[in-house]
Amino acid sequence: MELLAIGAGPSNLALAVALEELAPDLARDSLIIERNQEVSWQPGMLFPEALSNTSFLKDLVTLRNPRSRFSFLNYLHATGRLDHFVNMGSLTPYRAEVADYLQWTARSLALVELQYGRQCVDISPVWTGGTLTGWTTTLADGRTIGSRYLVLGTGRDIRIPEVLRDVDRDRVVHSTQYQKRIGALRKDLPYRVVVVGGGQSAAELFYSVQIDLPECRPTMVMRSVGLNSYETSKFTNELFFPSFVDEFHASRPEARAQMLAEMRPTNYAGVAPGMMDSLYRQVYLDRLSGRSRLQMITMHDITSARDEGDEIVLELTDWRNGATRELRTDLVLLGTGFSPQMPWAVRRLAERIGLSDVAVTRDYRLVVDRPSTAACYLHGVNEQTHGIADSLLSVMANRANDILQDVLTGDHLDLTPVTAPAVAAT
């Protein structure tokens, strides 16, 4: 196998589309493996009314090739929904539509093979006379796949706060698991529910659990002073342009860090205006009815947690004065996002190669400090060097092209060690 891509998420589907359109011979010798039985994008958060926060034009291909048959518009046309979408008058599709578009794209591939139910458990470098010449990927069933090129598109690891890692995991639900886990519960019980977090995911959990478990009593716990809307404008949105990646990558490390810090409120720890309005109306109506069903506890940290019988007991500490209180709950929903660390698979691979740091070139190629004729590329984990849009749909079409062109031009044929500004494998 010439090219193996791990994970059938948006990033590797965008790469598959680029392969089919620009390098059909390589496409025929490329394989995507996916551990699930279908393409599954944000399955835990596909609420009926949840909107994408990205324009439909930032699909898998349009910003690279507006004429592509793999565009979101062609998907709408093929599924008979183009007129209705246009009539809706919105640039942002529903999240469920994006998920369906990704499945449609996977079904539409003609050259790149996609195999489901194939879980990667290990990756080893192949050395020939001191030169890196390929990769051996081991699957859960013990079989192996050899490849010259490896593309990791598995995304970041979910973030579970340290204080909650030792309590009953059957009572702790991360947002990525929400739909499946909550869907399995009885709807008529008065669950006490704690939602942890102060961003969009936590807000959606708090909003949705009231509908999905209609008798529950939800409490939202956050360390911030309150919920805030995303701080965006058309000017700051230009930092999400694919064309800005060059400018960001060329900046000094301290400048990149400052840009990321200033851009953080545009993508993290914020809530979309529409969701903010809906959430406030829920709270307002709860107060108006006198039910006092909904609670929001701000400016508190969860400083300890323990199992006690059939419940979890959380210790909350008010960071203003140090006062503590206990909060007993049946379920904890985590809107805590993803770990900022490099994913486990990347860190494990770096150890296997003997790298102390993980760094990538401008074209997303893992920097190896020994001669190599093979290459590994990393999707969506390079925010520190490629900008805040790195994990978003905004740059995926162009990133797929960057990776593919690096492969096709032979820039990976490095017979002398490569160096690049290091990013710590935290």
Side-chain angles (χ1 to χ4, degrees):
M1 182 62 57
E2 189 73 354
L3 186 150
L4 174 65
I6 300 176
S11 294
N12 276 335
L13 288 175
L15 178 62
V17 169
L19 281 163
E20 297 218 351
E21 293 185 341
L22 302 175
D25 289 339
L26 178 57
R28 293 184 182 93
D29 201 13
S30 297
L31 170 66
I32 300 175
I33 59 173
E34 168 58 44
R35 65 181 179 179
N36 296 312
Q37 295 300 322
E38 63 178 1
V39 170
S40 181
W41 180 72
Q42 298 186 350
M45 300 294 285
L46 294 182
F47 307 121
E49 296 183 359
L51 286 168
S52 168
N53 60 1
T54 304
S55 167
F56 72 91
L57 294 172
K58 296 181 179 181
D59 57 19
L60 301 179
V61 66
T62 296
L63 294 184
R64 176 182 63 79
N65 176 17
R67 299 179 179 180
S68 174
R69 71 180 181 89
F70 292 99
S71 70
F72 185 81
L73 280 180
N74 193 44
Y75 151 75
L76 290 173
H77 181 267
T79 55
R81 296 206 324 278
L82 181 57
D83 286 341
H84 294 91
F85 183 84
V86 172
N87 194 49
M88 190 169 63
S90 173
L91 287 173
T92 54
Y94 286 98
R95 208 176 286 164
E97 285 183 293
V98 177
D100 192 58
Y101 161 63
L102 298 177
Q103 293 180 341
W104 173 85
T105 300
R107 294 193 300 269
S108 301
L109 296 174
L111 304 178
V112 176
E113 185 179 2
L114 201 166
Q115 295 181 0
Y116 298 103
R118 309 288 297 277
Q119 182 175 359
C120 165
V121 296
D122 195 25
I123 303 169
S124 299
V126 177
W127 303 99
T128 304
T131 297
L132 177 64
T133 56
W135 313 94
T136 298
T137 299
T138 303
L139 306 180
D141 61 7
R143 288 183 288 180
T144 61
I145 302 173
S147 63
R148 183 181 182 188
Y149 303 113
L150 183 70
V151 186
L152 297 180
T154 54
R156 291 192 181 272
D157 302 325
I158 64 173
R159 180 177 178 270
I160 298 178
E162 188 72 33
V163 71
L164 292 169
R165 291 184 181 179
D166 294 328
V167 298
D168 185 356
R169 294 301 291 271
D170 288 337
R171 296 181 178 275
V172 178
V173 181
H174 190 269
S175 61
T176 56
Q177 309 159 332
Y178 176 85
Q179 293 280 54
K180 180 179 180 180
R181 296 276 302 277
I182 298 301
L185 298 178
R186 287 180 55 178
K187 311 304 179 191
D188 59 339
L189 297 180
Y191 301 97
R192 296 163 298 172
V193 179
V194 169
V195 177
V196 180
Q200 179 71 16
S201 294
E204 291 182 353
L205 291 173
F206 189 73
Y207 180 88
S208 297
V209 76
Q210 299 173 50
I211 300 170
D212 296 329
L213 300 178
E215 300 303 318
C216 77
R217 300 182 67 85
T219 300
M220 195 172 191
V221 177
M222 68 193 81
R223 74 175 322 273
S224 60
V225 297
L227 296 177
N228 288 296
S229 296
Y230 287 127
E231 296 179 11
T232 61
S233 73
K234 289 182 171 60
F235 294 100
T236 56
N237 278 347
E238 293 194 359
L239 275 70
F240 291 85
F241 286 3
S243 57
F244 185 71
V245 175
D246 283 329
E247 187 175 340
F248 186 91
H249 188 267
S251 299
R252 296 178 298 178
E254 59 269 27
R256 294 199 298 246
Q258 181 175 341
M259 282 186 278
L260 287 176
E262 293 194 24
M263 287 293 290
R264 180 174 174 77
T266 68
N267 193 48
Y268 300 106
V271 179
M275 173 56 67
M276 184 77 81
D277 184 65
S278 296
L279 207 60
Y280 193 81
R281 288 180 180 277
Q282 281 185 328
V283 174
Y284 181 88
L285 290 172
D286 180 69
R287 292 168 178 166
L288 182 64
S289 69
R291 292 184 66 189
S292 299
R293 175 192 178 200
L294 311 181
Q295 288 190 67
M296 286 194 179
I297 300 176
T298 63
M299 295 179 276
H300 278 69
D301 292 309
I302 301 176
T303 46
S304 72
R306 69 180 188 274
D307 294 313
E308 193 171 293
D310 293 331
E311 61 186 5
I312 293 176
V313 182
L314 304 176
E315 179 190 75
L316 307 183
T317 299
D318 188 328
W319 54 256
R320 294 167 293 184
N321 53 32
T324 62
R325 59 188 288 192
E326 285 191 347
L327 182 61
R328 295 175 179 268
T329 186
D330 302 304
L331 290 171
V332 177
L333 306 183
L334 299 180
T336 50
F338 298 88
S339 170
Q341 293 183 325
M342 280 289 175
W344 173 86
V346 175
R347 287 180 282 139
R348 176 70 176 267
L349 181 58
E351 291 175 2
R352 288 294 183 88
I353 300 171
L355 302 176
S356 58
D357 295 306
V358 175
V360 295
T361 66
R362 167 60 184 84
D363 296 314
Y364 307 95
R365 177 169 22 104
L366 180 66
V367 172
V368 178
D369 57 2
R370 295 169 64 180
S372 62
T373 57
C376 173
Y377 299 90
L378 306 183
H379 277 306
V381 293
N382 306 302
E383 188 176 277
Q384 291 182 344
T385 53
H386 288 67
I388 196 166
D390 189 67
S391 63
L392 307 178
L393 291 170
S394 301
V395 300
M396 287 184 185
N398 294 72
R399 181 171 63 217
N401 185 64
D402 292 338
I403 291 172
L404 180 56
Q405 294 307 317
D406 191 67
V407 170
L408 296 178
T409 58
D411 287 347
H412 57 281
L413 297 173
D414 297 313
L415 298 179
T416 56
V418 180
T419 59
V423 177
T426 55

